[in-house]
Amino acid sequence: MKKKSHTNVHFDYGGYYSEGNEWIYKNSLYAISFKTACLEKITYSVLLDKITTKVGQNGVPGNLRLSYNLSKARRETYIVDDEDVYIFLTECDEEGRIPVLHVELLSDNNQRVEVLVPERRSSVGVNYVELVNVNEGMEVVAVERSMDNHLDEDVDGMFDFDDIPAIPNRVKGTPKNIEWEDGTGIELYQEFCSKEALWELVNKAAKQLVYGVLTIKSDPLRLMLRCKQYSQGCKWYLRVARTKQSDYWSVRVHRKIHTCSRSVESTSNSVQRGTPRLIAAVLHADFPGNLQTPNPKSIMSIVTGRLGVHCSYSTALRGKMQHVSEVRGGPEKSYKMLFSYLYMLEKVNRGTVTSVELEEKKFKYLFIALGASIEGFRAMRKVIIVDATHLKTVYGGMLVIATAQDPNHHHYPLAFGVIDAEKDDSWIWFFQKLKTVYPEVPDLVFISDRHQSIKKAVMTVYPNAHHVHCIWHLSQNLRLRAKTDKDGAAKKFLECAHAYTESEFNREYGIFRSRWSNAADYLDRAVGREQWSRYHFQGDKYNIDTSNAAESMNAVFKKARKYHLLPMIDAMVEKFSEWFNNHRQDSGNASSTSQVVPFVENILHARCLVAAKLKVVELNSYRQEYNVIDGMSVSFLVDLKMKTCSCKTFDIDKYPCVHAIAAARFLARKEGRNADVSIYGLCSVFYLIDTWALAYYRTLFVVPHESEWNIPESVKELEAEPPDYTPKKGRNQDKRFPSVGEKRRKSNKAVPGINLERWLQPEDPEAS
């Protein structure tokens, strides 16, 4: 015979307190407890009859009003019909306790009932005020009862309905609970690489489908999870254990069906906010294998839109960094796998040269020169720009980049590396490694800022090379020496540095000295003119006189400098590969009518228009010497065979000036069809399209994923430990450190509440 099930219902009135699993009300008028039979048979009228009978037995006549309160946090609910009765008998709180029935005794006099909470509504939407107004003349009566005997009265006053086998879960075919899957997609005996990977999948699905997960057990051998509403009957359960033969985790038990309510989880006070691991899981799905992700504010919006979870700015930032770490490993893993990574970099890029310097097994220096760049430098002008910038990681350090300028005036990467700081030993080590791939050649020029360690390293490693200062950095240094009009002093200095001839330099520098004598004395005393003046420099630096190429590289890798070591190298190689491909296409798609790169072609195109109007006088037809007179009646001597001009523009830039073009036009018209002269022939070989294409003919390959690596055992044994560092508070500085004397850009943001236009206007003396 099937065992019968009963439901206890307690009738009470007043405030409540907890005693065991029942709620007992302090100011009770009646305490009634009985066992319910079939819920379908308990109607509102039947319930009133039973209670009235009980009230009559206690000698308290009158009308009754019924209500209940499920918990302290919820408002009181009134029972006015059969549906309310059924809801009352089947409802319980999160811990399985049933509500207590409030019984109000109403008199028959003509006084209106005063309602303390007029906004209360019954479960079917009937306003409590309206319900009371219908029964005018009623009065709420509260009779206090001693607490000493309420339990006895509750036991003595208990009566039963007919028992039935069980309480049905649904009435008239209406389902009480909805069954739905957890959305994880996990299958039985499925294996995961780690427990964290499984938990990440479950947590993401829980946030997306709005259900809570509770951890029962989590240790090195197993993970057991269940639904937070298991006390309400939800049977969702997941058990995972680590396999004995490997470090993988296998799903042993998975009950994927939920029967809980999302409404309970949505209004729960224990709803968790987004975690960095959850943020990283979202970024893994939206940006798989990509190191470039949106900023933290955008990530906050993405997570809210995907999972409906709110997270703070700092959590989004930590999740962003965790995503990068998991794509290519954490900082410690970067140093541990450094030698294996460099082995694969050399393997996929033929001719690549790498070097690592360790100090007591701890990382110190790194040098990388890609094979494609080493071969491409043969087609470059022999001018190398070097600079260093700070890394924004926990271990710090400096990123060093050596670049050149390709024929079309694009930045061309030669080598890069990591050093601990800009000091003599670090720079000397870097230049020694640089010399192994870019040996000293005649007329080799180095350009950098005025850091003394760089100058010393160049003189030590490349004794026959020229070294000049970046004129832009020098102009910013002069701002400290100029007492008035600092911006004008910096601008005038650049004009002096760009002068091609001695007369032009003396004229501009004379003006500079007359206005800023202190700055001029500093240049003559501390910095030689050959270090910054285009006219006074004895070598060939062409049009290159600033370290803008290296500075631009630093700006391009501003975000990459925040990555760990291996992700940063990945980002740099990927960007270099993109540049090589783009410039290779540009050189292949160049105009068939032109023989020089587009940059030089555009300059010659404009100069031809001016040269056509100049007067040319032939001085020596055999040596091809000409006197060219411009519109100001100034004469310039041009030698086409020696490719020189007295304006010095032809000599320094290595492509014809307007005077040389005018002389070439004159020679071509004089010789006619027999003329063997071309403007393109007067240009340096470094500006030809064929040379440009030669610089980018090699393909740069990025390092494949770690799963595809094939590393020899001798290389696997090589490991580097992270360098020592001193923890510091706060964030790392994101903006570039300003040079000495450099002017910072001021923000144009207006102050809230201030009318700047009115505030900046001069005061009217006649205004009151």
Side-chain angles (χ1 to χ4, degrees):
M1 182 175 179
K2 190 175 181 180
K3 186 177 179 180
K4 296 183 179 181
S5 177
H6 303 86
T7 300
N8 295 327
V9 181
H10 305 271
F11 292 61
D12 220 335
Y13 175 82
Y16 61 85
Y17 69 94
S18 176
E19 181 174 307
N21 291 329
E22 298 181 353
W23 291 353
I24 308 300
Y25 279 68
K26 296 179 180 179
N27 300 324
S28 292
L29 176 61
Y30 297 104
I32 305 173
S33 178
F34 62 91
K35 298 178 180 178
T36 61
C38 181
L39 297 179
E40 299 180 3
K41 297 180 180 180
I42 304 178
T43 62
Y44 181 69
S45 59
V46 171
L47 188 60
L48 284 179
D49 291 341
K50 295 296 183 181
I51 298 175
T52 302
T53 303
K54 178 63 179 177
V55 172
Q57 292 176 359
N58 286 273
V60 184
N63 297 324
L64 299 176
R65 174 165 300 160
L66 310 180
S67 63
Y68 65 94
N69 196 334
L70 188 61
S71 66
K72 295 180 180 180
R74 299 188 181 182
R75 295 185 296 181
E76 195 172 9
T77 304
Y78 286 84
I79 301 177
V80 297
D81 57 13
D82 298 343
E83 184 178 355
D84 290 344
V85 173
Y86 175 79
I87 294 175
F88 163 70
L89 295 177
T90 58
E91 195 163 12
C92 60
D93 67 352
E94 295 179 355
E95 299 182 2
R97 298 180 299 187
I98 59 178
V100 178
L101 183 66
H102 297 240
V103 181
E104 299 181 16
L105 182 62
L106 307 177
S107 64
D108 295 332
N109 55 27
N110 294 327
Q111 296 180 359
R112 180 182 298 272
V113 177
E114 294 184 2
V115 182
L116 297 178
V117 189
E119 71 273 9
R120 292 177 179 171
R121 302 180 66 88
S122 71
S123 60
V124 294
V126 179
N127 191 285
Y128 182 60
V129 178
E130 299 174 355
L131 184 62
V132 175
N133 290 339
V134 172
N135 301 288
E136 295 183 0
M138 298 182 181
E139 181 181 8
V140 177
V141 179
V143 180
E144 292 191 6
R145 185 191 60 156
S146 174
M147 297 302 300
D148 297 335
N149 59 352
H150 73 276
L151 291 177
D152 296 337
E153 290 182 7
D154 183 55
V155 175
D156 295 340
M158 184 179 66
F159 65 97
D160 298 337
F161 280 167
D162 296 333
D163 294 340
I164 62 171
I167 300 176
N169 290 329
R170 50 182 64 86
V171 179
K172 296 181 180 180
T174 302
K176 178 182 177 181
N177 297 324
I178 301 176
E179 296 182 352
W180 46 283
E181 292 190 7
D182 56 6
T184 59
I186 298 176
E187 300 295 338
L188 197 62
Y189 305 117
Q190 183 178 351
E191 293 185 349
F192 292 86
C193 60
S194 64
K195 179 172 59 175
E196 289 74 16
L198 173 66
W199 176 248
E200 177 182 299
L201 180 62
V202 174
N203 191 26
K204 181 180 177 181
K207 300 302 181 184
Q208 191 169 8
L209 298 183
V210 191
Y211 61 87
V213 177
L214 186 64
T215 303
I216 305 175
K217 178 72 70 174
S218 179
D219 55 34
L221 298 178
R222 55 188 171 176
L223 175 65
M224 301 167 62
L225 307 174
R226 66 183 178 187
C227 181
K228 281 187 177 181
Q229 301 185 47
Y230 74 96
S231 61
Q232 306 298 324
C234 185
K235 301 300 182 182
W236 184 88
Y237 178 77
L238 178 64
R239 182 177 181 272
V240 186
R242 194 177 70 176
T243 58
K244 295 181 179 180
Q245 293 79 10
S246 65
D247 293 334
Y248 285 89
W249 291 70
S250 175
V251 179
R252 302 299 173 84
V253 181
H254 183 208
R255 295 197 290 265
K256 62 178 67 175
I257 301 299
H258 281 273
T259 58
C260 55
S261 173
R262 290 195 177 102
S263 301
V264 176
E265 179 64 21
S266 298
T267 56
S268 174
N269 294 330
S270 62
V271 176
Q272 297 181 354
R273 298 174 64 88
T275 61
R277 179 172 295 279
L278 184 63
I279 307 302
V282 175
L283 295 178
H284 290 339
D286 292 354
F287 305 93
N290 194 350
L291 299 177
Q292 298 289 344
T293 56
N295 55 53
K297 286 188 177 180
S298 301
I299 293 176
M300 294 167 62
S301 302
I302 292 174
V303 174
T304 303
R306 297 287 190 277
L307 307 179
V309 177
H310 298 280
C311 63
S312 62
Y313 182 92
S314 59
T315 302
L317 181 60
R318 290 195 299 269
K320 175 184 176 74
M321 299 306 298
Q322 184 171 346
H323 163 75
V324 175
S325 298
E326 293 178 356
V327 169
R328 186 55 82 176
E332 293 77 13
K333 185 179 179 181
S334 292
Y335 293 103
K336 183 179 180 180
M337 301 177 58
L338 178 59
F339 288 95
S340 298
Y341 178 89
L342 296 179
Y343 173 83
M344 291 302 303
L345 182 64
E346 295 177 2
K347 184 177 181 180
V348 298
N349 292 284
R350 175 177 48 86
T352 299
V353 177
T354 63
S355 179
V356 179
E357 182 77 11
L358 301 180
E359 186 177 19
E360 297 180 356
K361 296 184 178 181
K362 294 184 178 181
F363 175 85
K364 189 176 182 181
Y365 303 138
L366 170 67
F367 175 84
I368 298 176
L370 300 174
S373 299
I374 296 174
E375 293 190 21
F377 185 64
R378 301 173 184 175
M380 301 291 168
R381 291 161 290 173
K382 299 305 179 279
V383 181
I384 300 178
I385 305 101
V386 292
D387 192 28
T389 183
H390 292 270
L391 297 177
K392 308 300 181 180
T393 62
V394 64
Y395 294 105
M398 306 284 292
L399 173 64
V400 183
I401 301 179
T403 61
Q405 191 181 76
D406 75 351
N408 202 34
H409 289 210
H410 292 132
H411 306 323
Y412 191 87
L414 297 179
F416 62 96
V418 177
I419 59 177
D420 52 358
E422 286 192 277
K423 55 186 181 180
D424 295 348
D425 295 340
S426 304
W427 276 116
I428 290 176
W429 182 89
F430 180 81
F431 277 103
Q432 287 176 346
K433 299 302 177 182
L434 188 69
K435 191 175 183 179
T436 59
V437 291
Y438 303 107
E440 189 172 14
V441 295
D443 296 329
L444 182 63
V445 180
F446 286 93
I447 299 178
S448 69
D449 56 19
R450 295 191 64 246
H451 202 288
Q452 294 302 314
S453 296
I454 301 178
K455 183 178 180 180
K456 183 177 180 180
V458 171
M459 295 175 61
T460 303
V461 182
Y462 291 90
N464 298 322
H466 300 280
H467 177 262
V468 295
H469 297 315
C470 169
I471 62 173
W472 186 87
H473 282 90
L474 194 56
S475 68
Q476 301 303 308
N477 299 153
L478 291 178
R479 294 174 56 85
L480 297 177
R481 308 288 176 173
K483 297 182 179 180
T484 60
D485 192 11
K486 297 179 181 296
D487 294 337
K491 182 178 180 181
K492 194 63 179 179
F493 168 77
L494 295 178
E495 294 178 359
C496 297
H498 288 152
Y500 282 94
T501 62
E502 183 179 7
S503 60
E504 182 183 0
F505 175 82
N506 292 335
R507 181 178 67 253
E508 299 297 335
Y509 195 65
I511 299 174
F512 180 82
R513 173 174 289 278
S514 63
R515 298 189 58 183
W516 301 281
S517 58
N518 292 336
D521 293 339
Y522 167 75
L523 289 174
D524 294 338
R525 182 182 66 258
V527 185
R529 293 184 179 181
E530 67 280 357
Q531 293 289 320
W532 56 273
S533 173
R534 179 176 291 177
Y535 165 73
H536 291 88
F537 182 69
Q538 299 300 318
D540 292 329
K541 64 176 182 178
Y542 302 86
N543 63 298
I544 308 173
D545 47 22
T546 70
S547 61
N548 178 58
E551 294 288 348
S552 299
M553 290 283 189
N554 298 338
V556 170
F557 300 114
K558 180 179 179 181
K559 293 182 178 180
R561 287 187 281 124
K562 300 178 183 179
Y563 299 158
H564 306 313
L565 185 60
L566 295 189
M568 182 190 69
I569 300 175
D570 265 343
M572 297 182 69
V573 175
E574 183 179 359
K575 179 58 69 173
F576 294 157
S577 177
E578 178 185 348
W579 288 349
F580 267 60
N581 181 60
N582 293 338
H583 298 327
R584 188 183 304 113
Q585 293 179 358
D586 293 341
S587 61
N589 297 331
S591 175
S592 59
T593 60
S594 177
Q595 300 179 21
V596 295
V597 296
F599 181 86
V600 177
E601 177 65 31
N602 294 334
I603 295 177
L604 298 179
H605 180 77
R607 289 180 178 179
C608 288
L609 184 62
V610 180
K613 301 178 178 61
L614 300 183
K615 182 180 179 180
V616 180
V617 178
E618 186 177 50
L619 301 179
N620 191 322
S621 60
Y622 296 101
R623 295 184 178 181
Q624 296 182 356
E625 297 175 344
Y626 303 90
N627 184 32
V628 181
I629 305 174
D630 64 4
M632 303 297 295
S633 299
V634 180
S635 299
F636 296 91
L637 179 62
V638 177
D639 189 339
L640 294 182
K641 283 191 174 181
M642 300 302 297
K643 297 182 180 180
T644 62
C645 178
S646 59
C647 72
K648 296 300 180 181
T649 303
F650 194 8
D651 305 62
I652 295 176
D653 292 343
K654 305 301 181 183
Y655 48 83
C657 58
V658 291
H659 315 110
I661 294 176
R665 283 170 50 88
F666 178 86
L667 178 61
R669 280 168 172 71
K670 178 183 177 182
E671 298 293 335
R673 295 183 178 180
N674 298 325
D676 187 16
V677 63
S678 171
I679 295 178
Y680 297 139
L682 300 176
C683 298
S684 171
V685 66
F686 294 118
Y687 296 115
L688 299 180
I689 291 182
D690 294 340
T691 306
W692 185 28
L694 184 63
Y696 295 103
Y697 88 96
R698 284 278 304 273
T699 304
L700 274 178
F701 298 96
V702 296
V703 177
H705 190 265
E706 180 184 354
S707 60
E708 301 179 10
W709 292 4
N710 186 14
I711 310 297
E713 293 297 332
S714 59
V715 178
K716 290 183 179 180
E717 296 176 356
L718 301 176
E719 293 184 359
E721 297 180 2
D724 296 330
Y725 75 98
T726 302
K728 59 181 180 179
K729 297 181 179 180
R731 298 182 183 177
N732 293 327
Q733 181 172 343
D734 190 21
K735 295 183 179 179
R736 182 179 66 87
F737 290 93
S739 177
V740 178
E742 182 179 348
K743 181 181 178 182
R744 279 289 193 185
R745 293 183 179 180
K746 295 183 179 180
S747 176
N748 295 326
K749 295 182 179 180
V751 179
I754 298 180
N755 189 339
L756 292 180
E757 294 182 358
R758 183 177 180 181
W759 182 67
L760 292 174
Q761 289 178 356
E763 184 178 357
D764 187 359
E766 299 181 359
S768 57

